[in-house]
Amino acid sequence: MNVFNAIKQLNTKWVIVITLIAITWVNFNIVRWQKGNIITHDVISYYCYLPATFYEHDLSLAFTDDSLNREIEGRYYWPTIDAEGNKRIKVNMGMAVSDLPFFGAAHVYCKLFNEEANGFSDPYHFAVQFSSLFYFMIGLIFLLRILKLYFEPKVVFITSLAIIFVTTIIYYL
């Protein structure tokens, strides 16, 4: 039995299962997750709309002017200053909108289990991580369905594996 005959036997659902296992293993075994550094770098810029809106009630980021909040500003908010001297979040809020359902679930979890509900504790890190995995899986399912309309199963299988394991998508997830 050659490889292509074996691939014909595989359903694209196996691609999804393999992907979930690989991404879960990679994500929970990396240092970033173990140190709680999921909401960091560019992710902070996209995500900070949520805690600024729901916990600080201030999208102008004026709360970061308070001397008690200077450490918070440096760690969790990276505002830019416009020509009038106003602080602005330098990216659009699209990612924050997509993270909103998961942010809400993390908030409910924090309230139920007495975790710190500030937008940056561990449940929120998990929510952001799970959000990216969730949307990736939806995209992958739709991609596979569209590819199935035009290509034979082995092409769909190889293409999907190449997208998952040859590109840097696992790193970014």
Side-chain angles (χ1 to χ4, degrees), residues 36-168:
N37 290 332
I38 300 302
I39 303 173
T40 186
H41 303 297
D42 289 349
V43 177
I44 275 183
S45 295
Y46 294 107
Y47 174 79
C48 71
Y49 281 99
L50 296 172
T53 301
F54 293 105
Y55 295 120
E56 303 296 340
H57 308 290
D58 182 13
L59 277 177
S60 71
L61 303 179
F63 66 92
T64 61
D65 292 332
D66 182 359
S67 61
L68 296 174
N69 290 324
R70 294 225 188 266
E71 182 180 333
I72 291 171
E73 177 185 352
R75 184 168 180 205
Y76 298 127
Y77 299 93
W78 298 353
T80 57
I81 310 234
D82 64 17
E84 292 84 33
N86 299 317
K87 292 182 180 181
R88 301 273 185 245
I89 299 171
K90 60 184 168 184
V91 297
N92 64 32
M93 64 177 69
M95 289 296 296
V97 171
S98 67
D99 285 340
L100 183 58
F102 301 94
F103 177 86
H107 178 73
V108 169
Y109 177 87
C110 286
K111 291 296 185 181
L112 288 175
F113 295 100
N114 295 322
E115 294 274 340
E116 188 176 8
N118 64 0
F120 296 101
S121 58
D122 285 344
Y124 296 98
H125 286 264
F126 181 79
V128 168
Q129 186 74 23
F130 187 76
S131 169
S132 65
L133 178 61
F134 176 80
Y135 290 118
F136 171 74
M137 292 309 296
I138 288 175
L140 182 63
I141 289 167
F142 280 108
L143 174 66
L144 294 177
R145 286 185 178 178
I146 291 169
L147 288 175
K148 280 182 182 180
L149 294 175
Y150 300 102
F151 300 101
E152 58 187 82
K154 70 180 178 183
V155 172
V156 174
F157 185 78
I158 291 170
T159 302
S160 57
L161 284 181
I163 289 169
I164 296 162
F165 295 108
V166 176
T167 67
T168 57

